[in-house]
Structures are given as structure tokens and as C-alpha cells.
Amino acid sequence: MSEQSCAPAERGILIIGLGLIGGSLAAALKEAGFAGRILACDRDADEVTSGIDMGLVDAGSTELAPWVAESSLIVLAVPVLAIEAVLRELAPHLGDQVITDVGSTKGAIEASVERVFGDIPPRFVLGHPIAGSEKSGVAASNPALYRRHKVILTPRADTDPDALARVRVLWAACGAELLEMDVARHDQVLARTSHLPHLLAFSLVDTLARQDERLEIFRYAAGGFRDFTRIAGSDPVMWRDIFSANREAVLGALDEFEAGVARLRRAVTDNDGDAMLAIFDRASHARQYFDTLLNQTSYQAMEQRNIRYRVTPGGNVRGRIRVPGDKSISHRSIMLGALAEGVTEVHGFLEGEDSLATLQAFREMGVAIEGPHQGRVTIHGVGLHGLKAPAGPLYVGNSGTAMRLFAGLLAGQAFDTELTGDVSLNKRPMGRVADPLREMGAVIETAEGGRPPLTIRGGQALRGIRYDMPMASAQVKSCLLLAGLYAEGETRVREPAPTRDHTERMLNGFGYAVQRDADEAWLQGGGRLTASPIDVPSDISSAAFYLVAAAITPGSDLLLEHVGTNPTRIGVINILKAMGADLELLNPREVGGEPVADIRVRHAPLKGIDIPVDQVPLAIDEFPVLFIAAANAEGVTRLRGAEELRVKESDRIQAMADGLAILGVENTVHSDGIDIVGRADASDTHVEHYSGGHVDSLGDHRIAMAFAIAALRAEGEIVIDDCANVATSFPGFVDLARRVGLSLEEQEAS
């Protein structure tokens, strides 16, 4: 987001080069209320005169020396190849001024500064606003040119902190978003995202303009041609200078582009439809992803945002809803569909950020995937050994499921990969999968403390093992079974308590035999997967929030449709029933090997219970909202054997305990669980059970949603901070909550 700042406190700002960029900076500063003098120097006297007449600058001329002493900050807004000559003229007159620039190639400018001064002065801050227009000259000045646009600063280790801060204030006053990176990285990034597109646009228009039928071509060109070639109308001299100054990085980007064109040419020549689809679909979704970053609707952008929920107390819960598809099954459908031979059709796919990150990761490994379109995805499988090395790290967002399952299937590939996630995921321990994978022969490097990013070395010969899991975890079990697909011999996993079995069910559905006996599952390496249709049921973990909402609220009557009722996932149903909830499973059936049912839930008084230990693994993701049920029950609810909750997206036991305490709900935390003293009075089901308050979800989507549900029985408003990650697992949560009766407002907090 843009930095919040008042106008710069400089006595005078000298802009050298009063074209579009310099003039727009002056206009933005005037609009921001800058109280000092804005001075200008330009070799074109008419430009300076125009700037004064337009009220953009207070004084200036074609001479540089008279204005340096009157300025405390100097902005170099001249072409890149003119920088050195300007610096030589400027140097004899400098005092303690801060200097910055706007050039788009920082390496060349850094070299010019070193040639003039012998080194980079500490008060010289190299910068580059990512903004422009086909128009040029001070007459095209636009005070909004930098608003919500990025300005990249490239400070060095010895840059004066005061100078850096003042340059940041300068651009923040224009409404810009400030970023920092080193010089070399800047030039590489800009060569690919700015310089190369301009080079291609100039080349395409020049190629067509030299053809005999150019008038006909241009006459019938559509909007796509216009949009792509718009940038070819930019200043040719400026771009000649940029391409010369950033020559090596531009040539490197051009080499990569030519290799990509060659791949596409081969696909067209060979009439390879899957290869073309993979390229086009990957590009299409990358472009959509770019849009989400610009609009700050993706989780990578949201990491820097504080989405706040403000939930008014009261309401009832009635109606008929269908929550999004099961996230666990959605992840696995993409993974196994990609590794299968043939085309897999998926219906009911969860179009949340986490699942989409898994889908995009396989696109980056060469898998052609159509969709998603209203929950429908078509995966053109490449077989167990058909994945290709991605160009960079695979980003899995906030999904621990994706991170751990990917670790298993990537351990058997021939190429190296790096797995990384968002800020929250990169704090979570991955030793529980890395250690047994190493026993199988995998080579995995982690960050400090066994945390992501994970670097997985390819080309390893995996061998099957027999592994006794120290704690029940479907993610660990699935990880090892996926690695076992690539291992020599048999891979056996024993779990100390039942966990969700989606991986085993789906592998069998894809024709890969997984055996099971009591607490042990195993498979033989070296087989193959055959494409199979998948119908993803609604996620019971998402349904759980509405199950509890209806169970605790007088007058509620809610039907949840097509919910997955896999026996390894129904702990939340079993626990709520044990507490006295009025739950009824209607129309039970099986879809694609997974049991589903419609669930009707009505309000009934709840009682505190000792949660059976054997139900803990079956409800591990649902405990945050079950704690809200406990807060609304009569008596004490006790949970033990839930150490797993300590290492989820947050320490869910402590985070929920802290939030409940803020609401006035008495609780006692234990190393493996919690005791919650319910506030309900069975003789008066309409009494509010606890106070309102302001809680922090710690970026954990399930905690955020749980406290939103808690507001139904609160005395006052509940405000929940850090809710951006709800979109990663439950898109549409807010809309559904409102539809069934909650008064929930979503805000962006400062």
C-alpha cells in the first residue's frame, strides 16, 4: 500500500529535466501541498517557461548553477545516457543536498555516478518510478501519474538513512508505493517486464510497417494489436538510450523470449495441441494472477494488508446453502490428475487461493490445465515421470497440505525444486515430512528450524520404508505414499490414530492399488495412474462454521447441501452430537468414492463434554469453531491429545484461549489441549453468553472465522484483525455468513 505521508519538508526541490516525469513530479508535489520552492533546469527554455506558466515550478532556467544552492533535494529526470554529463556539471556546486534520479537502468547510472564522484555518495539514492505515458514534455504533466504506482529505490548498505527517508517521503507524497531492491535485481526485473515488451512492440510495428500491404494491415488491426503496440509510440531516443544502458540484461531477457517462441513454434509445427494449451493456459492464468496483484486480491498482495471483520452481535441462522468444495480433495485431484495418464475432469473444485496455487504450480511444471470455470477443471495428465522443471520456486501460499504433499511427490522427480509459501506458512515446521523422506533417500534442505523454503534435490533413488508416525497426520501419511509411487519396493505407513484417507481413496480411484489393514496403509512403487473423473464434495471443515452457528443460535434451522461425510473427517459431527446438537444427515450417498450427505442442523442446548481422544484426529481442523460451541455449552468442555493444534497456521490452542479470554470466557490451557467453561444457561437459551471484544486471528483463517461465528451469542460487537487469509481456504465466507443471518462487515484496517 502507499505510504501515508505529508508533503516533504524540503526548503527547495530542484528538478533537472522538466519533461513528463519531472513535470508530473512537480504537479504531484504542488497538489500534495508542498510548501517549499520547486525549481527546474532544462536545456529547453520553452519547457521551463511552460512549467512556470502552468504553476508547476516556481523558478528555473537552462542554467544549472544558480539553483543548486537554493535546493535541499535534487531530482535527476534526464535521459539515462545524459546523467553523467549532468553530474559533472552539478558536482562543483553541491553541498549537503540529497540527490535521487528516475532512470530505468540503475547499473548504468550507478557506474556514471562512480566515474564522476569516485564512489556513490551516501546522500545519493538511486530510484525509478514505474510510470509513464506515450505523451512527452511538461505539457503532458499529470499530478496522478505516480498514484498507486510503484517506485523502486535501490539503496546501498552505506546509503545515508536520512537521505533514504527523505526520498521515500518525496514519492509517498505523490501517492506512490515504495519498494526496495538491489541494483542488479532491478535491472534484471525491468529488462523482462518493461524493456523487453517495448523492444518487441517496436520490432513488431516496424516489421509490419515495412510490408507493402501495411495500410491494409493497420486498417483492419483490432484492439489487441492496438493495446500491445501502444508502447511503441514512446520516445524513440529515450528507449535507444535505455536499451544501450541495460544492454546485457535486455539481451538475456531476449534470449529467454526467443527460447519460448522456439518452443511454441515447435508445438505449432508438430500440431501438438497439449503443448500449445499448456503454454496458452499458463500464460492466461499468469496474466490473471498479475491482475490480482495489481488489484490486491491475491494472497501474495494480501500478506501486506490487514483485513478486519467487524461482527455485530445477534442474528439467526436459517436457509439452505452449499459451501465450497473440499480443499483437501481439491488439492489431491490436481496432483493425481497431473500425474495420471489421460484427461481428468474435476467438478466442484475449490477456487480458493490455496487450491489455485497448487493448480498453478503444476502449470509451471508443464501440465496443461483448463479452468477452473465454475468449479470445473480439466487436467491433461503427463504421467508419473512427465513433469518438467519449473523456472523458479513453486509458491503454495498458505497451504500446509500443498507444501507437505508436494514434498513427497517432488522427492521422486529428476529435477531440483524449491517450495516456498507465504509469511505464515514459512514459519511452520516441515521436519515431520523431511525426516522420513530422507530415510527414503530424498535429499531435502530446509531453512533454520526445519522450516520452508524446502529445496528438494532431484535424481535420487528412493526406496520404500516402513514408517510409524509419531503423531496422527494425514499430510505426513499422504506425503510418504506419494513418494512411495517413485520408490523401489513397498512403502508402509502406520498411524497411531485414524486420519483422513482421501489420498488412499483417490489413488485407488486412479487405478493405483493402496492396501489397508487396521492402522497401516501401503503401496508398491513403480505403478501408473489412469485418469478418472472426480466430483469434489463440499468441505466439512468449511461447513463446520455453519454447523456451529446454527447449533448455538436460538431459532436456527439450516440445511447444508452435498457435504463430504468421509468417516475420517466427521469428528466435528460426532463431537457436536455428543454435546447435544440437533444434527441430521439426509440423503446419504457416495460420489466418486467419497460419501456425502445433506446436513440439517437446528438449535438445541449444548452440554460440555470430555472430547473423546479417538475423535481428535477426525476433527483436528474444526477445533477453533468447536471451541466456540464449547463457550456456548453448559458446563466444562475438556480437550486432550491435541498437540497437533500447536503447529497449525498458528498455535491454535493458545490463540483461541487468548481470544476467548478477551470475550470473558474462562479457560485453562494445557500442553495438549484446553478446558473451556461454557457460559450457557440451559434454562434461558436466549441469554447472551459472553462479551464482545477485539481479537487478533494471527493470520489464521480458521480462528478468524470462528470468532465471527462467536458474535451470534455475544453481548457486544466482535472485531477480528488479520483476516486476509480467509480467502485462501474459504472464498465467499463473508457472503454466505451474511446470507444465513450474520451481521458481518469486512474492512481494510490501517
Side-chain angles (χ1 to χ4, degrees):
M1 299 297 295
S2 300
E3 297 186 3
Q4 299 299 314
S5 174
C6 56
E10 307 292 340
R11 71 175 187 275
I13 295 176
L14 172 59
I15 300 173
I16 303 176
L18 198 63
L20 169 72
I21 298 298
S24 295
L25 174 60
L29 291 171
K30 287 287 187 181
E31 191 173 88
F34 174 57
R37 298 188 79 207
I38 299 180
L39 311 167
C41 176
D42 194 283
R43 64 183 182 181
D44 187 336
D46 290 341
E47 289 287 82
V48 177
T49 300
S50 294
I52 295 172
D53 292 345
M54 294 169 66
L56 302 180
V57 298
D58 300 302
S61 68
T62 58
E63 299 296 321
L64 181 59
W67 311 111
V68 178
E70 295 190 35
S71 63
S72 57
L73 190 150
I74 299 172
V75 181
L76 305 176
V78 298
V80 172
L81 295 188
I83 287 279
E84 187 165 337
V86 171
L87 289 175
R88 292 193 185 281
E89 184 180 351
L90 184 64
H93 308 289
L94 286 173
D96 63 351
Q97 290 92 345
V98 172
I99 307 174
T100 189
D101 77 298
V102 300
S104 69
T105 60
K106 308 322 303 177
I109 295 174
E110 191 175 60
S112 295
V113 176
E114 289 175 334
R115 283 193 293 270
V116 173
F117 295 100
D119 199 354
I120 309 295
R123 296 177 75 74
F124 201 124
V125 182
L126 296 170
H128 176 207
I130 312 296
S133 167
E134 302 85 63
K135 300 177 181 178
S136 60
V138 71
S141 297
N142 176 7
L145 186 66
Y146 307 110
R147 201 171 297 152
R148 292 184 294 277
H149 282 250
K150 294 177 176 62
V151 172
I152 301 174
L153 303 181
T154 59
R156 294 156 53 100
D158 59 353
T159 297
D160 185 333
D162 174 67
L164 177 60
R166 285 162 62 183
V167 173
R168 292 184 71 91
V169 169
L170 170 78
W171 289 112
C174 301
E177 176 187 351
L178 276 297
L179 303 175
E180 292 183 12
M181 63 177 65
D182 63 53
V183 166
R185 179 62 176 158
H186 169 276
D187 287 358
Q188 291 170 355
V189 169
L190 268 294
R192 287 158 174 77
T193 60
S194 175
H195 304 165
L196 179 62
H198 279 83
L199 188 76
L200 299 177
F202 281 121
S203 177
L204 176 60
V205 176
D206 178 59
T207 298
L208 296 179
R210 288 185 294 157
Q211 296 181 10
D212 290 340
E213 65 272 24
R214 60 186 178 277
L215 295 179
E216 289 298 304
I217 291 173
F218 290 145
R219 179 177 296 142
Y220 297 114
F225 177 82
R226 178 199 61 209
D227 293 342
F228 175 69
T229 59
R230 173 185 57 81
I231 54 178
S234 303
D235 184 350
V237 174
M238 177 186 73
W239 282 103
R240 178 205 62 188
D241 291 353
I242 289 172
F243 295 142
S244 296
N246 203 26
R247 177 174 173 273
E248 294 304 320
V250 170
L251 288 174
L254 190 57
D255 287 342
E256 294 172 356
F257 177 76
E258 288 175 343
V261 170
R263 285 193 296 272
L264 183 54
R265 183 185 181 91
R266 283 195 301 271
V268 175
T269 300
D270 298 340
N271 197 26
D272 187 342
D274 278 358
M276 284 188 277
L277 179 62
I279 293 168
F280 299 155
D281 209 45
R282 189 163 57 244
S284 173
H285 285 80
R287 183 61 178 81
Q288 293 171 25
Y289 174 65
F290 172 67
D291 279 343
T292 67
L293 286 180
L294 289 181
N295 298 324
Q296 294 197 317
T297 57
S298 81
Y299 47 76
Q300 283 187 303
M302 284 181 172
E303 285 184 38
Q304 301 178 19
R305 302 169 70 198
N306 179 8
I307 300 298
R308 173 179 291 166
Y309 288 167
R310 189 179 295 275
V311 196
T312 304
N316 58 22
V317 181
R318 304 184 69 84
R320 184 185 190 104
I321 61 173
R322 179 166 175 170
V323 300
D326 187 288
K327 184 166 66 168
S328 296
I329 297 176
S330 293
H331 279 304
R332 289 162 172 83
S333 69
I334 298 297
M335 291 180 176
L336 298 191
L339 299 176
E341 298 172 15
V343 178
T344 294
E345 298 280 353
V346 181
H347 294 268
F349 177 78
L350 172 66
E351 296 183 38
E353 297 284 0
D354 284 353
S355 306
L356 291 173
T358 293
L359 188 151
Q360 185 62 25
F362 278 100
R363 284 196 174 106
E364 292 175 19
M365 290 188 287
V367 180
I369 303 175
E370 301 174 56
H373 304 293
Q374 298 181 331
R376 296 191 301 276
V377 180
T378 302
I379 308 160
H380 297 255
V382 297
L384 280 171
H385 300 283
L387 297 179
K388 298 175 182 177
L394 297 176
Y395 183 89
V396 297
N398 189 245
S399 177
T401 298
M403 176 74 73
R404 294 187 174 106
L405 270 61
F406 264 124
L409 71 88
L410 292 174
Q413 303 303 319
F415 49 81
D416 295 353
T417 44
E418 180 181 325
L419 285 170
T420 189
D422 69 3
V423 173
S424 171
L425 182 59
N426 282 349
K427 293 178 181 177
R428 295 166 65 181
M430 293 294 151
R432 64 174 63 183
V433 293
D435 291 342
L437 286 173
R438 289 173 182 137
E439 289 183 35
M440 298 179 72
V443 177
I444 301 178
E445 301 161 13
T446 66
E448 184 179 356
R451 291 174 169 79
L454 305 183
T455 300
I456 303 170
R457 301 299 178 190
Q460 311 303 316
L462 302 185
R463 58 187 177 276
I465 61 171
R466 180 169 184 167
Y467 186 69
D468 291 345
M469 291 196 297
M471 64 175 62
S473 170
Q475 293 177 1
V476 175
K477 176 179 65 174
S478 296
C479 167
L480 299 182
L481 290 175
L482 291 175
L485 301 177
Y486 296 92
E488 181 181 353
E490 193 174 73
T491 299
R492 286 181 173 261
V493 184
R494 189 189 67 81
E495 50 190 1
T499 65
R500 60 189 63 177
D501 62 357
H502 302 306
T503 300
E504 299 98 297
R505 286 174 180 263
M506 198 175 293
L507 280 169
N508 279 313
F510 277 83
Y512 203 113
V514 181
Q515 307 296 321
R516 177 136 202 135
D517 183 20
D519 59 359
E520 195 167 44
W522 67 93
L523 55 73
Q524 190 78 23
R528 56 195 288 267
L529 297 166
T530 303
S532 177
I534 298 173
D535 188 349
V536 181
S538 294
D539 194 340
I540 195 168
S541 293
S542 297
F545 296 99
Y546 296 102
L547 294 177
V548 171
I552 67 173
T553 307
S556 295
D557 188 348
L558 182 68
L559 184 72
L560 294 120
E561 298 175 331
H562 197 71
V563 180
T565 54
N566 185 300
T568 63
R569 296 287 301 280
I570 58 171
V572 63
I573 293 175
N574 297 336
I575 292 168
L576 284 173
K577 281 186 171 181
M579 296 176 74
D582 183 358
L583 287 171
E584 186 179 6
L585 271 61
L586 306 173
N587 190 24
R589 55 207 182 274
E590 190 168 289
V591 177
E594 290 282 347
V596 299
D598 302 326
I599 305 177
R600 185 180 185 185
V601 55
R602 289 169 284 193
H603 172 260
L606 301 182
K607 300 277 189 180
I609 63 169
D610 290 353
I611 295 174
V613 174
D614 65 351
Q615 293 299 308
V616 172
L618 310 186
I620 198 66
D621 285 333
E622 291 76 58
F623 277 113
V625 76
L626 282 171
F627 290 178
I628 301 303
N632 287 275
E634 183 181 19
V636 179
T637 298
R638 298 178 180 86
L639 171 67
R640 297 293 185 274
E643 302 93 336
E644 173 80 0
L645 288 174
R646 296 282 194 179
V647 292
K648 288 288 187 178
E649 284 82 341
S650 64
D651 179 343
R652 284 182 173 162
I653 291 176
Q654 191 62 56
M656 288 298 301
D658 292 343
L660 289 170
I662 289 169
L663 303 186
V665 177
E666 182 182 345
N667 66 83
T668 304
V669 171
H670 299 270
S671 61
D672 63 343
I674 190 172
D675 295 345
I676 298 173
V677 181
R679 299 291 296 274
D681 180 352
S683 65
D684 184 0
T685 59
H686 289 272
V687 69
E688 288 79 13
H689 293 159
Y690 35 74
S691 67
H694 194 146
V695 301
D696 188 345
S697 77
L698 304 177
D700 189 319
H701 49 105
R702 297 195 189 280
I703 290 174
M705 291 185 282
F707 281 111
I709 298 304
L712 286 162
R713 301 307 305 271
E715 294 175 355
E717 179 181 73
I718 295 180
V719 178
I720 310 151
D721 275 337
D722 207 359
C723 303
N725 279 331
V726 170
T728 72
S729 67
F730 196 157
F733 170 75
V734 172
D735 290 339
L736 272 182
R738 291 170 178 161
R739 186 166 20 138
V740 301
L742 277 77
S743 299
L744 193 163
E745 180 183 357
E746 187 177 35
Q747 303 174 333
E748 185 165 340
S750 58

